[in-house]
Amino acid sequence: RASAVKYLSTVFAMQVVYIFEFKNGRLPDDGNDNDMEELFAIRDAEIKRHQLNNTELPDDVLRTLANDTQTEISTTCSVTGGTLAQEILNGIFGMGKPIRKRLGLTQNDNNDKETISRS
């Protein structure tokens, strides 16, 4: 039950962000107090409309999601996808030992760092 509630609250939070984007033509900025107030108002209206429990989507979760919508993950996806594809082909054809890689991602104030290291 707990994992289902967490999944549904994430889906609901994304829906709130999509409603904000549809109304304003842009994603919310977590540094803009007006954007966050509008995002919270949309959340409250949707909670009331669907008769949900208000504690399932706290302000800090919605604020974090608003911050994360401003990031791009295409580089991460291409590195991870390429590594996964290489490992699948190695497994299917039995070519060589599997590569052991560790991908570490950090985000601090929109200063993304990606590192790949062999273990």
Side-chain angles (χ1 to χ4, degrees):
R1 163 108 173 105
S3 62
V5 168
K6 185 176 180 180
Y7 173 76
L8 289 175
S9 65
T10 304
V11 171
F12 182 71
M14 286 301 300
Q15 187 66 30
V16 169
V17 171
Y18 290 144
I19 292 170
F20 179 94
E21 183 180 18
F22 180 76
K23 288 173 110 177
N24 296 295
R26 62 179 174 78
L27 291 168
D29 179 9
D30 68 316
N32 185 335
D33 290 338
N34 292 332
D35 282 3
M36 294 314 299
E37 289 301 320
E38 184 176 351
L39 200 61
F40 297 150
I42 292 170
R43 179 208 48 205
D44 295 341
E46 289 298 305
I47 284 174
K48 185 176 181 181
R49 186 172 78 121
H50 295 290
Q51 300 174 348
L52 299 173
N53 184 357
N54 195 17
T55 61
E56 292 177 2
L57 188 56
D59 290 355
D60 60 334
V61 172
L62 204 52
R63 187 175 297 277
T64 301
L65 183 63
N67 179 40
D68 292 345
T69 59
Q70 302 294 328
T71 61
E72 293 186 27
I73 59 169
S74 59
T75 305
T76 304
C77 290
S78 61
V79 169
T80 306
T83 303
L84 181 61
Q86 179 181 359
E87 291 301 309
I88 290 171
L89 291 175
N90 282 345
I92 290 173
F93 296 112
M95 300 170 61
K97 293 182 180 179
I99 296 175
R100 293 181 299 165
K101 291 186 179 179
R102 184 176 59 230
L103 178 65
L105 302 173
T106 61
Q107 178 185 6
N108 293 330
D109 298 328
N110 295 327
N111 188 10
D112 296 339
K113 296 179 182 177
E114 296 184 23
T115 59
I116 298 177
S117 62
R118 294 183 188 268
S119 356

